[in-house]
């Protein structure tokens, strides 16, 4: 069996790999669950969000509160830590993706109530919701923008060592944070989402070398689109040989079936596979086999039959002359994809000849054969594998 390593399948299609790639000619449908896993890994687990929020500094809070008729101020308020962050994703049909991040923020600052100065600790539950959409498609690239960023506050806990905390202080902090948090957190989310989108988009526009025989350049073919069930990415590109000539394939959009609760659906165009396999087969040199009994059982009978059929006067055609068989690929392969079945049709030239001592090769037989190869499709190590065997 021959195994052809065609390409690595990307990050954005939900496979956990740090170097994720998606090939051209591919339509990819990503469910909310798969996308949530990818974005959680990129934004939360990598520490990217925490890295950008830990330096936040909040404006001072001034107001009346604390002791009767004593003004209260909270200065130097900053983020100490972010606890238990979680992320969820929803798809908005025709719009894009709704990203929701929930966390508990622990803030600390210096409180002045009248003449009493002490440290104040504030804990607040916050939920940030933002709509993400792609726009301005051009030459395989898109612009990712955030719209309607909302920041909703939940439970707030305030702690003073002195315990001199009044209802008015609690209300003052709640009112100020309700105004302040969206102003400081939404820009951070915007930065983080843009950094992640740059990483993601870079995997959707790349040139992949195929040995020494050529390259595959893939990129987005159109704007990503959303339904209530999945985000769709249509990718295309060019398959080129080493001389720069394009191996043509049909770039018509692929029709995607329903996800049916599957996390990830990939649709690979048959014409694109034909172009890729055609390029890969350029690496296979003609194969020559010596037709001896220890290599090919029954080779002696084949030898005798050919010598018997050799034309009269063939003085070199002695029974002791070893036969050789040479197989050379002819034409382009054709992949046929059917339900639960895939085959590859190949044409080969079969040359049977004798190595004549102190003379040229003597061709005894030359014919073309059409071979049908059974294809077994699998994914291993983040790569699509096509195992082919003679049918």
């Amino acid at each position: 069996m021959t195994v052809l390593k065609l390409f690595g399948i990307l990050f954005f299609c939900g496979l956990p790999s740090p170097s994720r790639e998606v090939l051209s000619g591919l339509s990819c449908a990503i469910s909310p669950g798969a996308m949530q896993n990818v974005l959680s890994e990129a934004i939360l687990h990598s520490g990217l969000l925490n890295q950008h929020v830990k330096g936040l500094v909040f404006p001072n809070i001034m107001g009346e509160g604390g002791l009767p008729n004593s003004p209260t101020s909270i200065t130097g308020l900053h983020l100490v830590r972010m606890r238990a962050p979680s992320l969820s994703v929803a798809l908005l049909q025709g719009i894009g993706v709704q990203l929701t991040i929930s966390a508990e923020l622990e803030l600390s600052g210096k409180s002045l109530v009248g003449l009493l100065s002490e440290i104040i600790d504030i804990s607040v539950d916050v939920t940030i919701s933002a709509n993400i959409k792609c726009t301005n498609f051009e030459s395989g690239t898109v612009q990712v923008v955030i719209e309607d960023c909302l920041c909703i506050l939940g439970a707030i806990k305030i702690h003073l060592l002195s315990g001199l905390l009044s209802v008015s202080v609690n209300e003052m902090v709640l009112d100020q944070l309700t105004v302040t948090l969206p102003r400081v957190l939404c820009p951070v989310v915007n930065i983080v989402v843009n950094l992640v989108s740059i990483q993601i988009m870079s995997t959707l526009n790349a040139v992949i070398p195929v040995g020494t025989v050529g390259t595959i350049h893939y990129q987005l073919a159109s704007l990503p689109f959303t339904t209530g069930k999945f985000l769709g990415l249509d990718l295309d590109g060019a398959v080129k040989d080493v001389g720069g000539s394009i191996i043509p394939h049909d770039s018509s959009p692929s029709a995607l079936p329903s996800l049916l609760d599957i996390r990830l659906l990939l649709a690979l165009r048959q014409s694109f596979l034909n172009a890729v396999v055609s390029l890969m087969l350029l690496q296979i040199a003609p194969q020559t086999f010596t037709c001896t009994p220890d290599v090919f059982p029954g080779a002696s009978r084949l030898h005798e039959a050919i010598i018997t059929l050799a034309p009269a006067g063939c003085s070199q055609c002695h029974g002791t002359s070893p036969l050789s068989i040479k197989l050379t690929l002819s034409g382009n392969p054709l992949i046929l994809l059917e339900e639960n079945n895939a085959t590859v049709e190949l044409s080969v030239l079969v040359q049977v000849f004798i190595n004549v001592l102190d003379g040229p090769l003597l061709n005894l037989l030359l014919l073309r054969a059409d071979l049908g190869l059974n294809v077994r499709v699998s994914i291993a190590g983040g790569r699509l594998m096509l195992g082919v065997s003679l049918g």
Side-chain angles (χ1 to χ4, degrees), residues 61 72 74 77 105 107-109 111 113 118-124 155-175 177:
I61 298 177
T72 299
I74 300 174
L77 193 63
L105 304 182
L107 311 175
S108 184
S111 172
V113 180
E118 60 182 318
I119 299 298
I120 183 171
D121 296 317
I122 303 172
S123 173
V124 54
I156 292 183
K157 300 176 183 179
I158 304 176
H159 177 69
L160 285 171
L161 289 179
S162 65
L164 299 176
L165 180 65
S166 66
V167 174
S168 58
V169 171
N170 192 80
E171 292 177 348
M172 178 184 69
V173 171
L174 177 60
D175 292 341
L177 291 183

Side-chain angles (χ1 to χ4, degrees), residues 176-191:
Q176 291 294 323
L177 291 183
T178 300
V179 175
T180 300
L181 284 179
R183 292 178 181 174
V184 296
L185 291 178
C186 283
V188 169
V189 172
N190 187 72
I191 292 173

Side-chain angles (χ1 to χ4, degrees), residues 22-74:
V22 176
L23 213 58
S24 69
L26 183 66
S27 289
C28 179
I30 306 124
S31 70
M35 188 182 310
Q36 182 170 315
N37 291 341
V38 170
L39 293 179
S40 291
E41 176 67 29
I43 294 176
L44 301 183
H45 301 157
S46 67
L48 183 62
L49 179 62
N50 186 65
Q51 174 186 342
H52 282 79
V53 300
K54 66 181 181 180
L56 286 178
V57 177
F58 297 82
N60 296 333
I61 298 177
M62 311 295 292
E64 297 294 331
L67 296 175
N69 303 317
S70 298
T72 299
S73 65
I74 300 174

Side-chain angles (χ1 to χ4, degrees), residues 44-318:
L44 301 183
H45 301 157
S46 67
L48 183 62
L49 179 62
N50 186 65
Q51 174 186 342
H52 282 79
V53 300
K54 66 181 181 180
L56 286 178
V57 177
F58 297 82
N60 296 333
I61 298 177
M62 311 295 292
E64 297 294 331
L67 296 175
N69 303 317
S70 298
T72 299
S73 65
I74 300 174
T75 58
L77 193 63
H78 61 280
L79 181 69
V80 177
R81 65 177 60 87
M82 180 173 59
R83 290 186 178 274
S86 63
L87 181 149
S88 62
V89 169
L91 298 179
L92 307 176
Q93 184 167 359
I95 298 176
V97 176
Q98 185 178 70
L99 176 68
T100 302
I101 300 174
S102 300
E104 179 186 353
L105 304 182
E106 292 187 3
L107 311 175
S108 184
K110 186 176 181 180
S111 172
L112 180 63
V113 180
L115 299 177
L116 182 63
S117 176
E118 60 182 318
I119 299 298
I120 183 171
D121 296 317
I122 303 172
S123 173
V124 54
D125 292 334
V126 63
T127 299
I128 309 165
S129 178
N131 294 342
I132 304 172
K133 64 182 296 185
C134 294
T135 185
N136 297 336
F137 172 80
E138 183 178 358
S139 301
T141 62
V142 297
Q143 180 182 0
V144 176
V145 297
I146 290 183
E147 297 179 341
D148 303 325
C149 181
L150 300 176
C151 192
I152 302 174
L153 275 60
I156 292 183
K157 300 176 183 179
I158 304 176
H159 177 69
L160 285 171
L161 289 179
S162 65
L164 299 176
L165 180 65
S166 66
V167 174
S168 58
V169 171
N170 192 80
E171 292 177 348
M172 178 184 69
V173 171
L174 177 60
D175 292 341
Q176 291 294 323
L177 291 183
T178 300
V179 175
T180 300
L181 284 179
R183 292 178 181 174
V184 296
L185 291 178
C186 283
V188 169
V189 172
N190 187 72
I191 292 173
V192 169
V193 168
N194 276 282
L195 288 174
V196 171
S197 69
I198 291 173
Q199 298 172 3
I200 290 174
M201 292 304 170
S202 67
T203 67
L204 302 179
N205 192 337
V207 177
I208 303 299
V210 181
T212 60
V213 296
T215 59
I216 300 171
H217 178 200
Y218 62 87
Q219 62 184 20
L220 281 172
S222 61
L223 272 173
F225 60 93
T226 54
T227 71
K229 295 183 178 180
F230 62 82
L231 170 70
L233 301 173
D234 197 19
L235 301 149
D236 201 4
V239 183
K240 297 182 180 180
D241 61 26
V242 69
S245 299
I246 296 178
I247 300 176
H249 71 276
D250 183 7
S251 295
S252 301
S254 301
L256 294 174
S258 173
L259 275 177
L260 299 177
D261 297 327
I262 298 175
R263 286 182 54 198
L264 172 64
L265 175 67
L266 297 174
L268 191 61
R269 297 175 189 143
Q270 179 173 296
S271 59
F272 177 75
L273 265 181
N274 285 332
V276 172
V277 174
S278 295
L279 180 64
M280 297 190 67
L281 291 182
L282 293 175
Q283 301 180 97
I284 301 178
Q287 304 294 308
T288 302
F289 308 95
T290 301
C291 191
T292 57
D294 58 331
V295 175
F296 292 100
S300 296
R301 292 193 299 273
L302 173 63
H303 184 277
E304 293 170 1
I306 293 180
I307 296 302
T308 302
L309 296 175
C314 178
S315 59
Q316 298 96 336
C317 299
H318 299 297

